[in-house]
Amino acid sequence: MVRQKTILKALAGETQDVPPIWMMRQAGRYLPEYRATRAEAGDFLSLCYNSDLATEVTLQPIRRYGFDAAILFADILLLPQALGADLWFVTGEGPRLSTISDQAGLDALKPTPDIHETLSPIYQTVRNLSGALPSETTLIGFAGAPWTVATYMIAGRGTPDQGPAHALKDENRTVFEGLLARLTEATIEYLSAQIDAGAEVVKLFDSWAGSLKGSDFDRYATGPARQIIEALKARHPDTPVIAFPREAGDKYVGFHQATGADCVALDNSVSPGWAVANVQKDGCVQGNLASSHMVTGGEALAQETRAIVKAFGNGPHIFNLGHGITPDADPDNVQRMIDVVRGG
Ligand code: 1CP
């Protein structure tokens, strides 16, 4: 009998003495070995589409820290590119895309089955990783949730308040909802192909869910997540799904049932005590240490890590940060966090 992987146990609802741990953006600029491989690739997108180098950077944090999960190295904005949007990254600023604002722009997107042509190197990375990871390490695939991806496609860049996407929603609901429907359909195919290639778990990142309020949240965050998870479960009933409706606040309550997610990932704006009573009662949760501790370290890092492990310790829990680790983080602080979680 092969012992089941710790991440899969947590996702099956098991409470463990030591929670499994991985970290959002664990392959990233805070690691010197990542910066070296990225320099070799030339730029960020070339790194994403080079299966050998993307495999290498995915493995780097596993080698250095022995995390319980590896997350495929790619980006949520590759899907819009596969649908026909122009995409480039401005150094020091972030992503830029061609924008969609009307029916003609929506109609110009490529048909869903065509996405696999652009995304085939990503599936190759997943296949490489399936063969290369240690037997105890779980491979996580991912995609952006339709709302979050749409905010970038509408604005053409990252925005602090998702203003352009909210404006299109209010001014031309048909185009806005049409775009979300196209993204929902394409995300199902993209994640399904990652699972076929060997992803053992998939995660849906709704990084900007928090700016959807009231019934908008239900329609544009919960609704698409439910549709995607339903379709994935019909095809891949044994593959767990993690949903991350970041900054959902009160809307975290009931998100497991409303979407069918096996695990709900928590940002660090919710307190562990509240989340235990209101969210973990429904199933596995992931999170939620503030990523700033990876910069500042010290006794506060150890104390806060211990408090999170303790608070979530009576139910299924995957230890993680509340958002991605930042480039200014100290790699030694990551080791310290892991040592505390594992009881060192
Ligand atoms: O210069 C570099 O090397 C680029 C930095 C970088 C990295 C390391 C970007 C640009 N993307 C990534 C990888 C990435 N992105 C992963 C890989 C796996 C891992 O976690 O190690 C994942 C899962 C993502 C997901 C992603 N991309 C999200 C959702 C999660 C989140 O952080 O909220 C979002 C919103 C993006 C868009 C994006 N890509 C990159 C940047 C800087 C951004 C944010 C842009 C913005 O809103 O300003």
Side-chain angles (χ1 to χ4, degrees), residues 5-39:
K5 302 179 183 190
T6 53
I7 295 268
L8 298 177
K9 284 190 195 178
L11 290 167
E14 218 177 286
T15 303
Q16 298 171 87
D17 292 340
V18 174
I21 176 170
W22 68 282
M23 201 173 66
M24 281 185 270
R25 295 270 170 103
Q26 63 190 23
R29 286 168 290 178
Y30 74 106
L31 287 180
E33 57 268 38
Y34 170 84
R35 295 196 296 269
T37 310
R38 188 177 177 282

PDB file of all heavy atoms in Angstrom, residues 5-39:
ATOM      1  N   LYS A   5      -0.767  10.747  -0.243  1.00  0.00           N
ATOM      2  CA  LYS A   5      -0.075  12.016  -0.062  1.00  0.00           C
ATOM      3  C   LYS A   5      -0.818  12.908   0.929  1.00  0.00           C
ATOM      4  O   LYS A   5      -2.048  12.929   0.945  1.00  0.00           O
ATOM      5  CB  LYS A   5       0.041  12.711  -1.421  1.00  0.00           C
ATOM      6  CG  LYS A   5       0.791  11.858  -2.451  1.00  0.00           C
ATOM      7  CD  LYS A   5       0.881  12.551  -3.787  1.00  0.00           C
ATOM      8  CE  LYS A   5       1.573  11.657  -4.807  1.00  0.00           C
ATOM      9  NZ  LYS A   5       1.894  12.354  -6.053  1.00  0.00           N
ATOM     10  N   THR A   6      -0.067  13.664   1.715  1.00  0.00           N
ATOM     11  CA  THR A   6      -0.672  14.457   2.794  1.00  0.00           C
ATOM     12  C   THR A   6      -1.662  15.511   2.273  1.00  0.00           C
ATOM     13  O   THR A   6      -2.680  15.775   2.903  1.00  0.00           O
ATOM     14  CB  THR A   6       0.412  15.162   3.633  1.00  0.00           C
ATOM     15  OG1 THR A   6       1.256  15.894   2.745  1.00  0.00           O
ATOM     16  CG2 THR A   6       1.228  14.156   4.423  1.00  0.00           C
ATOM     17  N   ILE A   7      -1.363  16.111   1.129  1.00  0.00           N
ATOM     18  CA  ILE A   7      -2.275  17.122   0.572  1.00  0.00           C
ATOM     19  C   ILE A   7      -3.601  16.451   0.188  1.00  0.00           C
ATOM     20  O   ILE A   7      -4.687  16.986   0.448  1.00  0.00           O
ATOM     21  CB  ILE A   7      -1.653  17.805  -0.674  1.00  0.00           C
ATOM     22  CG1 ILE A   7      -0.406  18.608  -0.287  1.00  0.00           C
ATOM     23  CG2 ILE A   7      -2.695  18.635  -1.429  1.00  0.00           C
ATOM     24  CD1 ILE A   7      -0.591  20.052   0.056  1.00  0.00           C
ATOM     25  N   LEU A   8      -3.510  15.264  -0.407  1.00  0.00           N
ATOM     26  CA  LEU A   8      -4.733  14.567  -0.836  1.00  0.00           C
ATOM     27  C   LEU A   8      -5.544  14.109   0.380  1.00  0.00           C
ATOM     28  O   LEU A   8      -6.776  14.119   0.347  1.00  0.00           O
ATOM     29  CB  LEU A   8      -4.390  13.386  -1.743  1.00  0.00           C
ATOM     30  CG  LEU A   8      -3.682  13.771  -3.051  1.00  0.00           C
ATOM     31  CD1 LEU A   8      -3.319  12.521  -3.860  1.00  0.00           C
ATOM     32  CD2 LEU A   8      -4.558  14.713  -3.896  1.00  0.00           C
ATOM     33  N   LYS A   9      -4.848  13.764   1.451  1.00  0.00           N
ATOM     34  CA  LYS A   9      -5.565  13.391   2.684  1.00  0.00           C
ATOM     35  C   LYS A   9      -6.357  14.592   3.214  1.00  0.00           C
ATOM     36  O   LYS A   9      -7.517  14.458   3.591  1.00  0.00           O
ATOM     37  CB  LYS A   9      -4.583  12.951   3.768  1.00  0.00           C
ATOM     38  CG  LYS A   9      -4.007  11.572   3.574  1.00  0.00           C
ATOM     39  CD  LYS A   9      -3.261  11.221   4.867  1.00  0.00           C
ATOM     40  CE  LYS A   9      -2.347  10.039   4.677  1.00  0.00           C
ATOM     41  NZ  LYS A   9      -1.595   9.741   5.904  1.00  0.00           N
ATOM     42  N   ALA A  10      -5.702  15.739   3.262  1.00  0.00           N
ATOM     43  CA  ALA A  10      -6.401  16.942   3.749  1.00  0.00           C
ATOM     44  C   ALA A  10      -7.604  17.239   2.854  1.00  0.00           C
ATOM     45  O   ALA A  10      -8.693  17.559   3.347  1.00  0.00           O
ATOM     46  CB  ALA A  10      -5.444  18.135   3.788  1.00  0.00           C
ATOM     47  N   LEU A  11      -7.408  17.106   1.555  1.00  0.00           N
ATOM     48  CA  LEU A  11      -8.498  17.410   0.616  1.00  0.00           C
ATOM     49  C   LEU A  11      -9.627  16.390   0.712  1.00  0.00           C
ATOM     50  O   LEU A  11     -10.768  16.677   0.350  1.00  0.00           O
ATOM     51  CB  LEU A  11      -7.956  17.486  -0.816  1.00  0.00           C
ATOM     52  CG  LEU A  11      -7.063  18.712  -1.058  1.00  0.00           C
ATOM     53  CD1 LEU A  11      -6.301  18.581  -2.367  1.00  0.00           C
ATOM     54  CD2 LEU A  11      -7.903  19.989  -1.051  1.00  0.00           C
ATOM     55  N   ALA A  12      -9.316  15.193   1.229  1.00  0.00           N
ATOM     56  CA  ALA A  12     -10.358  14.180   1.444  1.00  0.00           C
ATOM     57  C   ALA A  12     -11.049  14.393   2.786  1.00  0.00           C
ATOM     58  O   ALA A  12     -11.915  13.611   3.175  1.00  0.00           O
ATOM     59  CB  ALA A  12      -9.745  12.785   1.362  1.00  0.00           C
ATOM     60  N   GLY A  13     -10.612  15.434   3.530  1.00  0.00           N
ATOM     61  CA  GLY A  13     -11.301  15.767   4.776  1.00  0.00           C
ATOM     62  C   GLY A  13     -10.623  15.253   6.030  1.00  0.00           C
ATOM     63  O   GLY A  13     -11.182  15.340   7.123  1.00  0.00           O
ATOM     64  N   GLU A  14      -9.408  14.734   5.874  1.00  0.00           N
ATOM     65  CA  GLU A  14      -8.709  14.162   7.026  1.00  0.00           C
ATOM     66  C   GLU A  14      -8.028  15.241   7.871  1.00  0.00           C
ATOM     67  O   GLU A  14      -7.415  16.157   7.321  1.00  0.00           O
ATOM     68  CB  GLU A  14      -7.644  13.181   6.520  1.00  0.00           C
ATOM     69  CG  GLU A  14      -7.509  11.944   7.374  1.00  0.00           C
ATOM     70  CD  GLU A  14      -6.487  10.967   6.799  1.00  0.00           C
ATOM     71  OE1 GLU A  14      -6.796  10.309   5.785  1.00  0.00           O
ATOM     72  OE2 GLU A  14      -5.387  10.887   7.361  1.00  0.00           O
ATOM     73  N   THR A  15      -8.122  15.105   9.185  1.00  0.00           N
ATOM     74  CA  THR A  15      -7.393  15.982  10.106  1.00  0.00           C
ATOM     75  C   THR A  15      -6.047  15.323  10.384  1.00  0.00           C
ATOM     76  O   THR A  15      -5.990  14.132  10.694  1.00  0.00           O
ATOM     77  CB  THR A  15      -8.178  16.127  11.424  1.00  0.00           C
ATOM     78  OG1 THR A  15      -9.483  16.628  11.114  1.00  0.00           O
ATOM     79  CG2 THR A  15      -7.480  17.072  12.384  1.00  0.00           C
ATOM     80  N   GLN A  16      -4.946  16.104  10.234  1.00  0.00           N
ATOM     81  CA  GLN A  16      -3.612  15.527  10.442  1.00  0.00           C
ATOM     82  C   GLN A  16      -2.882  16.289  11.547  1.00  0.00           C
ATOM     83  O   GLN A  16      -3.106  17.486  11.748  1.00  0.00           O
ATOM     84  CB  GLN A  16      -2.821  15.593   9.125  1.00  0.00           C
ATOM     85  CG  GLN A  16      -3.492  14.777   8.017  1.00  0.00           C
ATOM     86  CD  GLN A  16      -2.874  14.988   6.630  1.00  0.00           C
ATOM     87  OE1 GLN A  16      -1.924  14.319   6.275  1.00  0.00           O
ATOM     88  NE2 GLN A  16      -3.411  15.921   5.886  1.00  0.00           N
ATOM     89  N   ASP A  17      -1.990  15.588  12.246  1.00  0.00           N
ATOM     90  CA  ASP A  17      -1.240  16.222  13.338  1.00  0.00           C
ATOM     91  C   ASP A  17      -0.398  17.383  12.813  1.00  0.00           C
ATOM     92  O   ASP A  17      -0.308  18.424  13.443  1.00  0.00           O
ATOM     93  CB  ASP A  17      -0.321  15.201  14.023  1.00  0.00           C
ATOM     94  CG  ASP A  17      -1.128  14.157  14.785  1.00  0.00           C
ATOM     95  OD1 ASP A  17      -2.311  14.446  15.092  1.00  0.00           O
ATOM     96  OD2 ASP A  17      -0.592  13.062  15.043  1.00  0.00           O
ATOM     97  N   VAL A  18       0.235  17.156  11.665  1.00  0.00           N
ATOM     98  CA  VAL A  18       1.034  18.200  11.025  1.00  0.00           C
ATOM     99  C   VAL A  18       0.365  18.532   9.696  1.00  0.00           C
ATOM    100  O   VAL A  18       0.218  17.657   8.848  1.00  0.00           O
ATOM    101  CB  VAL A  18       2.479  17.710  10.771  1.00  0.00           C
ATOM    102  CG1 VAL A  18       3.265  18.742   9.982  1.00  0.00           C
ATOM    103  CG2 VAL A  18       3.158  17.380  12.094  1.00  0.00           C
ATOM    104  N   PRO A  19      -0.079  19.773   9.510  1.00  0.00           N
ATOM    105  CA  PRO A  19      -0.743  20.068   8.244  1.00  0.00           C
ATOM    106  C   PRO A  19       0.261  20.066   7.093  1.00  0.00           C
ATOM    107  O   PRO A  19       1.402  20.485   7.278  1.00  0.00           O
ATOM    108  CB  PRO A  19      -1.300  21.487   8.460  1.00  0.00           C
ATOM    109  CG  PRO A  19      -0.399  22.092   9.479  1.00  0.00           C
ATOM    110  CD  PRO A  19       0.041  20.959  10.375  1.00  0.00           C
ATOM    111  N   PRO A  20      -0.159  19.584   5.910  1.00  0.00           N
ATOM    112  CA  PRO A  20       0.717  19.710   4.752  1.00  0.00           C
ATOM    113  C   PRO A  20       0.906  21.190   4.406  1.00  0.00           C
ATOM    114  O   PRO A  20       0.057  22.024   4.754  1.00  0.00           O
ATOM    115  CB  PRO A  20      -0.031  18.970   3.646  1.00  0.00           C
ATOM    116  CG  PRO A  20      -1.448  18.903   4.086  1.00  0.00           C
ATOM    117  CD  PRO A  20      -1.437  18.936   5.595  1.00  0.00           C
ATOM    118  N   ILE A  21       1.988  21.509   3.731  1.00  0.00           N
ATOM    119  CA  ILE A  21       2.287  22.912   3.454  1.00  0.00           C
ATOM    120  C   ILE A  21       2.835  23.113   2.040  1.00  0.00           C
ATOM    121  O   ILE A  21       3.594  22.296   1.529  1.00  0.00           O
ATOM    122  CB  ILE A  21       3.308  23.466   4.506  1.00  0.00           C
ATOM    123  CG1 ILE A  21       3.714  24.908   4.180  1.00  0.00           C
ATOM    124  CG2 ILE A  21       4.537  22.571   4.644  1.00  0.00           C
ATOM    125  CD1 ILE A  21       4.508  25.582   5.304  1.00  0.00           C
ATOM    126  N   TRP A  22       2.349  24.168   1.396  1.00  0.00           N
ATOM    127  CA  TRP A  22       2.972  24.693   0.180  1.00  0.00           C
ATOM    128  C   TRP A  22       2.725  26.193   0.213  1.00  0.00           C
ATOM    129  O   TRP A  22       2.131  26.710   1.177  1.00  0.00           O
ATOM    130  CB  TRP A  22       2.441  24.025  -1.105  1.00  0.00           C
ATOM    131  CG  TRP A  22       1.010  24.314  -1.471  1.00  0.00           C
ATOM    132  CD1 TRP A  22      -0.100  23.743  -0.910  1.00  0.00           C
ATOM    133  CD2 TRP A  22       0.544  25.240  -2.467  1.00  0.00           C
ATOM    134  NE1 TRP A  22      -1.233  24.256  -1.499  1.00  0.00           N
ATOM    135  CE2 TRP A  22      -0.875  25.171  -2.459  1.00  0.00           C
ATOM    136  CE3 TRP A  22       1.166  26.113  -3.370  1.00  0.00           C
ATOM    137  CZ2 TRP A  22      -1.669  25.955  -3.310  1.00  0.00           C
ATOM    138  CZ3 TRP A  22       0.377  26.876  -4.224  1.00  0.00           C
ATOM    139  CH2 TRP A  22      -1.027  26.785  -4.185  1.00  0.00           C
ATOM    140  N   MET A  23       3.162  26.922  -0.786  1.00  0.00           N
ATOM    141  CA  MET A  23       3.113  28.377  -0.711  1.00  0.00           C
ATOM    142  C   MET A  23       2.769  28.971  -2.078  1.00  0.00           C
ATOM    143  O   MET A  23       3.373  28.577  -3.080  1.00  0.00           O
ATOM    144  CB  MET A  23       4.520  28.829  -0.272  1.00  0.00           C
ATOM    145  CG  MET A  23       4.613  30.170   0.322  1.00  0.00           C
ATOM    146  SD  MET A  23       6.289  30.449   0.973  1.00  0.00           S
ATOM    147  CE  MET A  23       7.268  30.442  -0.513  1.00  0.00           C
ATOM    148  N   MET A  24       1.807  29.898  -2.093  1.00  0.00           N
ATOM    149  CA  MET A  24       1.483  30.562  -3.359  1.00  0.00           C
ATOM    150  C   MET A  24       2.691  31.346  -3.870  1.00  0.00           C
ATOM    151  O   MET A  24       3.336  32.026  -3.077  1.00  0.00           O
ATOM    152  CB  MET A  24       0.292  31.506  -3.175  1.00  0.00           C
ATOM    153  CG  MET A  24      -1.039  30.769  -3.162  1.00  0.00           C
ATOM    154  SD  MET A  24      -2.427  31.905  -3.090  1.00  0.00           S
ATOM    155  CE  MET A  24      -2.618  32.065  -1.319  1.00  0.00           C
ATOM    156  N   ARG A  25       2.953  31.246  -5.178  1.00  0.00           N
ATOM    157  CA  ARG A  25       4.139  31.850  -5.824  1.00  0.00           C
ATOM    158  C   ARG A  25       5.441  31.291  -5.272  1.00  0.00           C
ATOM    159  O   ARG A  25       6.450  32.001  -5.222  1.00  0.00           O
ATOM    160  CB  ARG A  25       4.131  33.374  -5.684  1.00  0.00           C
ATOM    161  CG  ARG A  25       2.998  34.082  -6.415  1.00  0.00           C
ATOM    162  CD  ARG A  25       3.403  34.457  -7.833  1.00  0.00           C
ATOM    163  NE  ARG A  25       2.231  34.915  -8.568  1.00  0.00           N
ATOM    164  CZ  ARG A  25       1.967  36.184  -8.826  1.00  0.00           C
ATOM    165  NH1 ARG A  25       2.816  37.112  -8.455  1.00  0.00           N
ATOM    166  NH2 ARG A  25       0.882  36.507  -9.491  1.00  0.00           N
ATOM    167  N   GLN A  26       5.413  30.000  -4.858  1.00  0.00           N
ATOM    168  CA  GLN A  26       6.630  29.425  -4.263  1.00  0.00           C
ATOM    169  C   GLN A  26       7.776  29.364  -5.254  1.00  0.00           C
ATOM    170  O   GLN A  26       8.943  29.392  -4.843  1.00  0.00           O
ATOM    171  CB  GLN A  26       6.333  28.048  -3.654  1.00  0.00           C
ATOM    172  CG  GLN A  26       5.872  26.978  -4.630  1.00  0.00           C
ATOM    173  CD  GLN A  26       5.379  25.724  -3.897  1.00  0.00           C
ATOM    174  OE1 GLN A  26       4.977  25.775  -2.733  1.00  0.00           O
ATOM    175  NE2 GLN A  26       5.412  24.577  -4.567  1.00  0.00           N
ATOM    176  N   ALA A  27       7.474  29.274  -6.546  1.00  0.00           N
ATOM    177  CA  ALA A  27       8.512  29.432  -7.568  1.00  0.00           C
ATOM    178  C   ALA A  27       8.457  30.894  -7.976  1.00  0.00           C
ATOM    179  O   ALA A  27       7.517  31.320  -8.631  1.00  0.00           O
ATOM    180  CB  ALA A  27       8.224  28.536  -8.759  1.00  0.00           C
ATOM    181  N   GLY A  28       9.414  31.682  -7.578  1.00  0.00           N
ATOM    182  CA  GLY A  28       9.295  33.110  -7.884  1.00  0.00           C
ATOM    183  C   GLY A  28      10.561  33.885  -7.588  1.00  0.00           C
ATOM    184  O   GLY A  28      11.590  33.318  -7.202  1.00  0.00           O
ATOM    185  N   ARG A  29      10.426  35.179  -7.738  1.00  0.00           N
ATOM    186  CA  ARG A  29      11.604  36.045  -7.755  1.00  0.00           C
ATOM    187  C   ARG A  29      12.369  36.146  -6.447  1.00  0.00           C
ATOM    188  O   ARG A  29      13.495  36.621  -6.429  1.00  0.00           O
ATOM    189  CB  ARG A  29      11.181  37.455  -8.224  1.00  0.00           C
ATOM    190  CG  ARG A  29      10.904  37.514  -9.717  1.00  0.00           C
ATOM    191  CD  ARG A  29      10.230  38.806 -10.113  1.00  0.00           C
ATOM    192  NE  ARG A  29       8.862  38.825  -9.613  1.00  0.00           N
ATOM    193  CZ  ARG A  29       8.014  39.836  -9.759  1.00  0.00           C
ATOM    194  NH1 ARG A  29       8.422  40.921 -10.374  1.00  0.00           N
ATOM    195  NH2 ARG A  29       6.782  39.762  -9.296  1.00  0.00           N
ATOM    196  N   TYR A  30      11.787  35.724  -5.305  1.00  0.00           N
ATOM    197  CA  TYR A  30      12.541  35.750  -4.044  1.00  0.00           C
ATOM    198  C   TYR A  30      13.659  34.704  -4.049  1.00  0.00           C
ATOM    199  O   TYR A  30      14.546  34.760  -3.220  1.00  0.00           O
ATOM    200  CB  TYR A  30      11.600  35.540  -2.839  1.00  0.00           C
ATOM    201  CG  TYR A  30      11.133  34.107  -2.702  1.00  0.00           C
ATOM    202  CD1 TYR A  30      11.639  33.279  -1.710  1.00  0.00           C
ATOM    203  CD2 TYR A  30      10.212  33.560  -3.592  1.00  0.00           C
ATOM    204  CE1 TYR A  30      11.249  31.951  -1.605  1.00  0.00           C
ATOM    205  CE2 TYR A  30       9.819  32.239  -3.497  1.00  0.00           C
ATOM    206  CZ  TYR A  30      10.341  31.440  -2.505  1.00  0.00           C
ATOM    207  OH  TYR A  30       9.967  30.125  -2.421  1.00  0.00           O
ATOM    208  N   LEU A  31      13.602  33.742  -4.983  1.00  0.00           N
ATOM    209  CA  LEU A  31      14.615  32.681  -5.040  1.00  0.00           C
ATOM    210  C   LEU A  31      15.689  32.993  -6.087  1.00  0.00           C
ATOM    211  O   LEU A  31      15.367  33.190  -7.267  1.00  0.00           O
ATOM    212  CB  LEU A  31      13.971  31.333  -5.409  1.00  0.00           C
ATOM    213  CG  LEU A  31      13.123  30.625  -4.359  1.00  0.00           C
ATOM    214  CD1 LEU A  31      12.574  29.312  -4.923  1.00  0.00           C
ATOM    215  CD2 LEU A  31      13.915  30.368  -3.083  1.00  0.00           C
ATOM    216  N   PRO A  32      16.964  32.994  -5.679  1.00  0.00           N
ATOM    217  CA  PRO A  32      18.041  33.271  -6.641  1.00  0.00           C
ATOM    218  C   PRO A  32      18.053  32.277  -7.797  1.00  0.00           C
ATOM    219  O   PRO A  32      18.339  32.659  -8.948  1.00  0.00           O
ATOM    220  CB  PRO A  32      19.326  33.170  -5.809  1.00  0.00           C
ATOM    221  CG  PRO A  32      18.930  32.659  -4.461  1.00  0.00           C
ATOM    222  CD  PRO A  32      17.464  32.840  -4.305  1.00  0.00           C
ATOM    223  N   GLU A  33      17.718  31.007  -7.522  1.00  0.00           N
ATOM    224  CA  GLU A  33      17.750  30.009  -8.594  1.00  0.00           C
ATOM    225  C   GLU A  33      16.629  30.279  -9.622  1.00  0.00           C
ATOM    226  O   GLU A  33      16.796  30.012 -10.814  1.00  0.00           O
ATOM    227  CB  GLU A  33      17.691  28.571  -8.047  1.00  0.00           C
ATOM    228  CG  GLU A  33      16.495  28.212  -7.169  1.00  0.00           C
ATOM    229  CD  GLU A  33      16.753  28.427  -5.672  1.00  0.00           C
ATOM    230  OE1 GLU A  33      17.426  29.419  -5.322  1.00  0.00           O
ATOM    231  OE2 GLU A  33      16.234  27.629  -4.864  1.00  0.00           O
ATOM    232  N   TYR A  34      15.498  30.847  -9.160  1.00  0.00           N
ATOM    233  CA  TYR A  34      14.436  31.239 -10.101  1.00  0.00           C
ATOM    234  C   TYR A  34      14.928  32.379 -10.992  1.00  0.00           C
ATOM    235  O   TYR A  34      14.758  32.341 -12.216  1.00  0.00           O
ATOM    236  CB  TYR A  34      13.169  31.674  -9.345  1.00  0.00           C
ATOM    237  CG  TYR A  34      12.133  32.314 -10.274  1.00  0.00           C
ATOM    238  CD1 TYR A  34      11.237  31.538 -10.995  1.00  0.00           C
ATOM    239  CD2 TYR A  34      12.095  33.704 -10.451  1.00  0.00           C
ATOM    240  CE1 TYR A  34      10.318  32.115 -11.867  1.00  0.00           C
ATOM    241  CE2 TYR A  34      11.181  34.292 -11.314  1.00  0.00           C
ATOM    242  CZ  TYR A  34      10.296  33.496 -12.017  1.00  0.00           C
ATOM    243  OH  TYR A  34       9.398  34.072 -12.886  1.00  0.00           O
ATOM    244  N   ARG A  35      15.561  33.373 -10.379  1.00  0.00           N
ATOM    245  CA  ARG A  35      16.017  34.532 -11.161  1.00  0.00           C
ATOM    246  C   ARG A  35      17.026  34.097 -12.219  1.00  0.00           C
ATOM    247  O   ARG A  35      17.018  34.602 -13.342  1.00  0.00           O
ATOM    248  CB  ARG A  35      16.616  35.590 -10.226  1.00  0.00           C
ATOM    249  CG  ARG A  35      15.572  36.181  -9.258  1.00  0.00           C
ATOM    250  CD  ARG A  35      16.048  37.478  -8.606  1.00  0.00           C
ATOM    251  NE  ARG A  35      17.207  37.301  -7.759  1.00  0.00           N
ATOM    252  CZ  ARG A  35      17.160  37.040  -6.441  1.00  0.00           C
ATOM    253  NH1 ARG A  35      15.983  36.931  -5.826  1.00  0.00           N
ATOM    254  NH2 ARG A  35      18.271  36.901  -5.744  1.00  0.00           N
ATOM    255  N   ALA A  36      17.850  33.109 -11.877  1.00  0.00           N
ATOM    256  CA  ALA A  36      18.849  32.615 -12.841  1.00  0.00           C
ATOM    257  C   ALA A  36      18.157  31.916 -14.020  1.00  0.00           C
ATOM    258  O   ALA A  36      18.495  32.163 -15.185  1.00  0.00           O
ATOM    259  CB  ALA A  36      19.815  31.667 -12.147  1.00  0.00           C
ATOM    260  N   THR A  37      17.167  31.077 -13.741  1.00  0.00           N
ATOM    261  CA  THR A  37      16.485  30.350 -14.826  1.00  0.00           C
ATOM    262  C   THR A  37      15.662  31.310 -15.677  1.00  0.00           C
ATOM    263  O   THR A  37      15.593  31.169 -16.902  1.00  0.00           O
ATOM    264  CB  THR A  37      15.570  29.240 -14.256  1.00  0.00           C
ATOM    265  OG1 THR A  37      16.321  28.461 -13.335  1.00  0.00           O
ATOM    266  CG2 THR A  37      15.039  28.348 -15.368  1.00  0.00           C
ATOM    267  N   ARG A  38      15.057  32.300 -15.028  1.00  0.00           N
ATOM    268  CA  ARG A  38      14.280  33.294 -15.769  1.00  0.00           C
ATOM    269  C   ARG A  38      15.198  34.084 -16.714  1.00  0.00           C
ATOM    270  O   ARG A  38      14.828  34.361 -17.854  1.00  0.00           O
ATOM    271  CB  ARG A  38      13.585  34.238 -14.797  1.00  0.00           C
ATOM    272  CG  ARG A  38      12.608  35.197 -15.434  1.00  0.00           C
ATOM    273  CD  ARG A  38      11.968  36.000 -14.307  1.00  0.00           C
ATOM    274  NE  ARG A  38      11.049  37.017 -14.773  1.00  0.00           N
ATOM    275  CZ  ARG A  38      11.420  38.179 -15.274  1.00  0.00           C
ATOM    276  NH1 ARG A  38      12.688  38.468 -15.439  1.00  0.00           N
ATOM    277  NH2 ARG A  38      10.494  39.056 -15.641  1.00  0.00           N
ATOM    278  N   ALA A  39      16.402  34.402 -16.250  1.00  0.00           N
ATOM    279  CA  ALA A  39      17.375  35.114 -17.096  1.00  0.00           C
ATOM    280  C   ALA A  39      17.757  34.241 -18.293  1.00  0.00           C
ATOM    281  O   ALA A  39      17.873  34.727 -19.427  1.00  0.00           O
ATOM    282  CB  ALA A  39      18.611  35.488 -16.283  1.00  0.00           C
TER     283      ALA A  39
END
